[in-house]
């Protein structure tokens, strides 16, 4: 142990004696780690914020939707969900807790006191509040009675409220949606953006109202989100649903599903797999840049060994063994690239934070601790690996030759 | 203590072979004070390096303190240099970036000695050569004589059985030379075995025994009348 402490301080002193050169030597490692940490911090911050936004949608939520491939659109034979499907979910499948059909209702522009916006208008029932995890900050959400009585009421998102310059408390105001007047009963909590798309530019109206206003289903489409009673059973429920819906839609055996059952977090998973791929590509680039940095270290260390030949001769004359010299130079190389790595980590963090703060609405940068530890460890290992050649050259010097070296 | 039998040393340079030592027999006893003299290129340094285990002979046998050194590995030779030998060179060979104290501590690093003990011993060794007020000076902040005294302190800090000095006064003026020789005389008086190489008769006159080397052979070996008296 003592030997290492000894060699460690000797290595530090030697690096300190040539500060500028040490810095330039480790620049490759420094820039490599800096780039990695900057990119990882931005990516991770991004991915964290996505996961957070989606965690509101419980993972026990599944969504049934019609599936269409490009052929369907070309031929105009578009698959749609029917109310029988909704009924099947409600009454025929065990293990389902709440069912929230959502009808997209393209009713046209929304007007308020001469201003117009075009939000997404969705027909929904009271269950949507729990199933979609939406909440109101002012007023109330849709109720069973709204649905039963087909009341012309609306729950609006914050973007709608802002863009129409409605009062801070819009409850009781009247909106013209398409050709019908709706009374505002609630304001949704702000949800923010995902990939630059606002989650607040929407209006919920009762499902029954949306259904009667869209009339024919040609221009509208329906999805059904539902929650599973027992999270552990989610896969069984998914299978049961698939079987029952196939039966409801009278799909003959062997015919592919014309619907799909999506988990709410499948998007998050997909996104995470994208980040994982990006990280892997990044790791490759890092590998290459650290390799280049390592070669830089090896070069300068070889020069430095030549320069210090006489010093090595003196140490050998004083009784240093091969191993003593080897450890000293290896530690010097490891320390050099570790320091480069550490500085690179700090600069990378700062760069990531800078980038994140420069882009409006971008989530704050974040680097997991293990990434920093790995980066530091990896740069030290690069130092050791590329220090082997110079260190063995130093260790193998003949004392007499080394002492005579001018 | 030092026993050389039929030592031959050849250097091969390309297809040319230089015979630096052509068959040397030598015995040096404990607490002897020996001067090696002879013209430049006669093989004095080669002989010193062999005695100091910095180099090994092409032929012959070297027994140091009863141990045959030809049987030793590189690693063991390093240990012998560290424990048995103290080297002083003509051009000092101090570590340029380290203080006098650190230079003197360096051989003890290889003894795996604790830093505080090392520091104490090195400071004492520097005090013994009269440099207690220069511990933190770097070599380039010291005069030639002071540098050589640091080198002597470094050679002695590990209490070696033999002090070897290859032209220790070669780079010094006559006043500092006699200071350094005064130091060697004192060390010898305290029981240290000293072997040194010199060109100068005045320096050789400090020793008890003079050995003349010529063309890789010992051609003269006699007690020094001035000192022996
Ligand atoms: N490393 C070496 N390679 C080749 N020849 C050498 C080497 N060291 C010494 N010699 C040769 O050996 C002879 C003796 O050298 P040296 O011992 O240095 O003499 P001195 O110290 O008496 O001046 C010289 O001819 C010198 O050129
Ligand atoms: Mg010589």
């Amino acid at each position: 142990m003592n030997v290492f402490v000894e060699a460690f301080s000797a290595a530090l002193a030697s690096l300190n004696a040539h500060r500028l050169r040490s810095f330039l030597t480790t620049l490759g490692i420094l820039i490599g780690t800096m780039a990695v940490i900057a990119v990882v911090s931005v990516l991770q911050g991004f991915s964290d914020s996505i996961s957070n936004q989606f965690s509101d949608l419980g993972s026990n939520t599944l969504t049934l939707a019609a599936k269409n491939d490009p052929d369907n659109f070309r031929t105009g034979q578009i698959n749609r969900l029917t109310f029988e499907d909704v009924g099947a979910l409600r009454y025929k499948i065990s293990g389902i807790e709440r069912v929230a059909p959502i009808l997209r209702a393209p009713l046209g522009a929304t007007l308020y006191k001469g201003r117009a916006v075009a939000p997404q208008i969705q027909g929904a029932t009271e269950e949507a509040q729990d199933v979609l995890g939406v909440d109101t900050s002012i007023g109330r959400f849709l109720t069973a009675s709204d649905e039963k009585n087909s009341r012309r009421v609306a729950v609006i998102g914050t973007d709608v409220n802002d863009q129409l310059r409605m009062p801070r408390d819009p409850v009781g105001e009247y909106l013209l949606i398409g050709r019908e007047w709706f009374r505002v009963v609630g304001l949704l909590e702000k949800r923010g953006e995902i990939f630059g798309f606002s989650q607040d530019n929407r209006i919920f109206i009762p499902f029954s109202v949306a259904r009667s206003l869209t009339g024919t289903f040609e221009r509208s489409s329906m999805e059904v989100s539902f929650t599973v009673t027992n999270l552990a059973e989610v896969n069984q429920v998914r299978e049961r649903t698939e079987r029952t819906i196939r039966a409801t839609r009278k799909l003959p055996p062997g015919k592919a599903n014309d619907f799909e059952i999506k988990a709410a977090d499948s998007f998050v998973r997909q996104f995470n797999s994208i980040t994982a791929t990006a990280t892997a590509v990044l790791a490759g680039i890092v590998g290459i840049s650290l390799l280049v940095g390592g070669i830089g270290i090896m070069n300068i260390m070889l020069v430095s060994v030549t320069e210090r030949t006489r010093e090595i001769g003196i140490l050998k004359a004083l009784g240093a063994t091969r191993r003593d010299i080897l450890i000293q130079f290896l530690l010097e190389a490891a320390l050099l690239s570790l320091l480069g790595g550490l500085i690179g980590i700090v600069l990378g963090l700062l760069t990531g934070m800078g980038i994140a703060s420069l882009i409006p609405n971008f989530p704050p940068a974040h680097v997991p601790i293990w990434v920093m530890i790995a980066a530091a460890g990896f740069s030290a290992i690069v130092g050791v690996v590329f220090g082997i050649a110079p260190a063995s050259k130093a260790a193998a010097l003949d004392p007499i030759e080394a002492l005579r070296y001018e | 203590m030092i026993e050389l039998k039929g030592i031959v040393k050849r250097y091969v340079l390309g297809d040319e072979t230089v015979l630096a030592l052509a068959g040397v027999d030598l015995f040096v006893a404990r607490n002897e004070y020996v001067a090696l003299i002879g013209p430049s290129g006669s093989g004095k340094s080669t002989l010193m390096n062999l005695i100091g285990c910095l180099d090994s002979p092409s032929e012959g046998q070297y027994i140091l303190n009863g141990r045959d050194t030809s049987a030793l590995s590189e690693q063991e030779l390093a240990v012998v240099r560290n424990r048995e030998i103290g080297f002083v060179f003509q051009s000092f060979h101090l570590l340029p970036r380290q203080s006098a104290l650190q230079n003197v501590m360096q051989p003890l690093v290889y003894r795996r000695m604790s830093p505080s003990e090392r520091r104490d011993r090195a400071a004492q060794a520097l005090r013994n050569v009269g440099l207690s007020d220069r511990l933190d000076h770097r070599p380039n902040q010291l005069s030639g004589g002071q540098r050589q005294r640091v080198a002597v302190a470094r050679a002695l800090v590990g209490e070696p059985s033999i002090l070897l000095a290859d032209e220790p006064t070669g780079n010094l003026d006559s006043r500092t030379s006699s200071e350094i020789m005064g130091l060697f005389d004192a060390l010898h008086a305290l029981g240290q075995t000293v072997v040194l190489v010199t060109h100068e008769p005045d320096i050789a006159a400090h020793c008890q025994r003079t050995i003349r080397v010529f063309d890789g052979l010992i051609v003269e070996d006699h007690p020094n009348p001035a000192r022996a008296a």
Side-chain angles (χ1 to χ4, degrees):
Chain A
M1 193 57 221
N2 201 12
V3 192
F4 276 96
V5 174
E6 219 48 76
F8 187 82
S9 58
L12 209 58
S14 155
L15 296 181
N16 192 38
H18 301 283
R19 252 157 298 176
L20 180 63
R21 179 204 281 192
S22 302
F23 174 74
L24 291 176
T25 305
T26 195
L27 205 56
I29 301 279
L30 193 159
I31 292 173
T33 17
M34 178 176 138
V36 181
I37 296 293
V39 177
V40 167
S41 70
V42 169
L43 267 182
Q44 274 293 325
F46 197 46
S47 139
D48 286 357
S49 95
I50 297 271
S51 305
N52 281 339
Q53 292 185 47
F54 273 83
S55 67
D56 297 353
L57 291 172
S59 54
N60 62 339
T61 302
L62 296 174
T63 298
L64 176 68
K67 192 162 88 181
N68 288 291
D69 55 29
D71 260 1
N72 295 108
F73 291 110
R74 200 165 42 75
T75 57
Q77 294 185 327
I78 297 172
N79 296 319
R80 297 174 199 290
L81 293 188
T82 65
F83 291 107
E84 273 167 64
D85 298 328
V86 179
L89 282 174
R90 278 221 169 97
Y91 307 114
K92 287 195 189 160
I93 304 166
S94 62
I96 289 180
E97 192 178 24
R98 285 199 188 82
V99 177
I102 309 287
L103 188 62
R104 224 181 313 141
L107 299 176
T110 298
L111 287 90
Y112 175 77
K113 293 193 175 161
R115 278 182 285 276
V117 287
Q120 209 184 95
I121 296 160
Q122 291 169 319
T125 58
E126 60 164 343
E127 288 96 340
Q129 181 165 18
D130 283 339
V131 174
L132 300 183
V134 289
D135 254 315
T136 52
S137 58
I138 298 174
R140 61 169 176 82
F141 197 71
L142 302 170
T143 61
S145 136
D146 292 335
E147 177 69 22
K148 204 168 122 222
N149 300 315
S150 294
R151 287 201 193 108
R152 305 290 161 101
V153 292
V155 179
I156 64 174
T158 53
D159 279 4
V160 176
N161 188 49
D162 295 345
Q163 284 163 16
L164 293 177
R165 291 191 222 151
M166 298 177 73
R168 286 257 310 274
D169 177 354
V171 171
E173 300 292 319
Y174 282 86
L175 289 175
L176 187 63
I177 303 177
R179 268 171 275 157
E180 306 287 329
W181 287 97
F182 285 77
R183 189 167 58 86
V184 175
V185 294
L187 178 69
L188 293 167
E189 276 181 353
K190 191 170 175 63
R191 305 198 72 169
E193 296 181 350
I194 296 178
F195 287 133
F197 291 106
S198 172
Q199 303 296 298
D200 301 308
N201 192 19
R202 51 155 56 155
I203 295 178
F204 284 112
I205 59 176
F207 188 86
S208 55
V209 176
R211 188 180 164 189
S212 67
L213 289 180
T214 49
T216 107
F217 290 118
E218 287 306 310
R219 293 188 301 128
S220 59
S221 60
M222 181 168 64
E223 285 188 353
V224 191
S225 290
F226 55 98
T227 52
V228 175
T229 316
N230 182 353
L231 189 57
E233 266 183 46
V234 72
N235 285 327
Q236 288 94 304
V237 172
R238 185 190 272 270
E239 278 163 28
R240 254 177 265 154
T241 304
E242 185 178 344
R243 239 182 294 123
T244 313
I245 298 294
R246 277 189 75 90
T248 316
R249 295 174 76 84
K250 301 190 179 66
L251 294 180
K255 191 159 191 287
N257 288 346
D258 59 357
F259 60 91
E260 58 188 339
I261 302 162
K262 302 180 283 192
D265 61 350
S266 68
F267 174 71
V268 180
R269 246 183 269 131
Q270 203 177 337
F271 180 81
N272 284 344
S273 88
I274 293 171
T275 5
T277 312
T279 309
V281 171
L282 203 67
I285 297 171
V286 175
I288 294 169
S289 79
L290 287 187
L291 193 78
V292 173
I295 292 172
I297 287 191
M298 181 165 74
N299 260 323
I300 309 276
M301 291 282 297
L302 282 170
V303 172
S304 141
V305 166
T306 308
E307 247 183 37
R308 285 157 66 186
T309 297
R310 209 137 83 114
E311 183 186 326
I312 295 161
I314 295 169
L315 296 179
K316 288 206 154 184
L318 296 179
T321 60
R322 233 172 218 271
R323 199 167 139 261
D324 291 323
I325 305 283
L326 190 78
I327 289 175
Q328 181 180 333
F329 277 83
L330 274 185
L331 262 177
E332 233 172 84
L335 210 58
L336 192 61
S337 68
L338 177 64
L339 287 176
L342 290 179
I343 298 173
I345 289 171
V346 172
L347 292 183
L349 273 176
L350 294 177
T351 312
M353 279 156 59
I355 292 173
S357 69
L358 278 181
I359 303 175
N361 287 330
F362 205 82
H366 165 240
V367 185
I369 285 285
W370 71 265
V371 170
M372 290 195 263
I373 293 172
F378 200 59
S379 49
I381 289 170
V382 166
V384 171
V385 168
F386 286 93
I388 287 174
S392 0
K393 185 184 166 197
L397 285 175
D398 177 68
I400 302 275
E401 299 288 329
L403 279 172
R404 287 160 64 104
Y405 186 85
E406 294 301 324
Chain B
M1 116 161 300
I2 298 173
E3 200 176 349
L4 302 179
K5 292 180 193 163
I7 294 287
V8 173
K9 180 70 188 178
R10 287 184 210 94
Y11 289 109
V12 182
L13 294 168
D15 43 26
E16 210 181 325
T17 304
V18 180
L19 190 61
L21 293 176
V24 171
D25 297 297
L26 176 66
F27 183 82
V28 177
R30 192 174 298 278
N31 197 23
E32 271 200 272
Y33 193 6
V34 182
L36 291 176
I37 60 171
S40 183
S42 56
K44 307 180 295 295
S45 294
T46 306
L47 188 54
M48 287 294 266
N49 292 338
L50 286 171
I51 296 173
C53 289
L54 278 170
D55 212 348
S56 34
S58 311
E59 279 173 39
Q61 206 181 20
Y62 171 27
I63 294 161
L64 173 64
N65 294 330
R67 257 209 306 185
D68 187 350
T69 61
S70 53
L72 299 180
S73 68
E74 196 186 310
Q75 160 103 16
E76 290 167 321
L77 286 174
V79 174
V80 170
R81 287 198 291 273
N82 187 246
R83 305 206 165 237
E84 310 288 345
I85 311 288
F87 247 115
V88 175
F89 300 93
Q90 177 176 357
S91 48
F92 321 130
H93 282 342
L94 297 178
L95 299 167
R97 292 190 307 267
Q98 304 205 5
S99 69
L101 187 68
Q102 287 171 321
N103 262 285
V104 179
M105 284 163 69
Q106 192 65 36
L108 303 180
V109 169
Y110 306 119
R111 295 232 184 144
R112 319 293 182 229
M113 203 177 265
S114 78
S116 61
E117 188 179 357
R118 236 189 288 150
R119 190 170 294 275
D120 292 345
R121 288 219 200 176
Q124 182 60 46
L126 281 165
R127 223 170 291 137
N128 292 346
V129 299
L131 282 180
S132 43
D133 53 346
R134 294 285 188 280
L135 302 188
D136 297 321
H137 287 54
R138 287 191 179 189
N140 61 7
Q141 298 165 321
L142 296 171
S143 73
Q146 287 170 331
R147 285 185 213 183
Q148 198 58 301
R149 280 196 270 168
V150 173
V152 173
R154 185 177 67 182
L156 291 173
V157 72
E159 296 171 351
S161 50
I162 307 162
L163 179 62
L164 299 175
D166 194 345
E167 305 197 34
T169 61
N171 284 359
L172 301 177
D173 60 33
S174 59
R175 229 196 78 221
T176 38
S177 293
S178 59
E179 274 174 33
I180 293 293
M181 288 316 294
L183 203 54
F184 283 4
D185 292 348
L187 289 168
H188 171 242
L190 288 170
Q192 182 71 51
T193 311
V194 180
V195 179
L196 60 83
V197 169
T198 184
H199 279 309
E200 298 157 64
D202 320 4
I203 301 295
H206 282 260
C207 302
Q208 289 177 317
R209 176 180 171 191
T210 304
I211 295 170
R212 181 180 299 277
V213 183
F214 188 80
D215 270 357
L217 288 169
I218 292 180
V219 292
E220 227 182 290
D221 183 352
H222 57 78
N224 198 327
R227 284 284 300 202

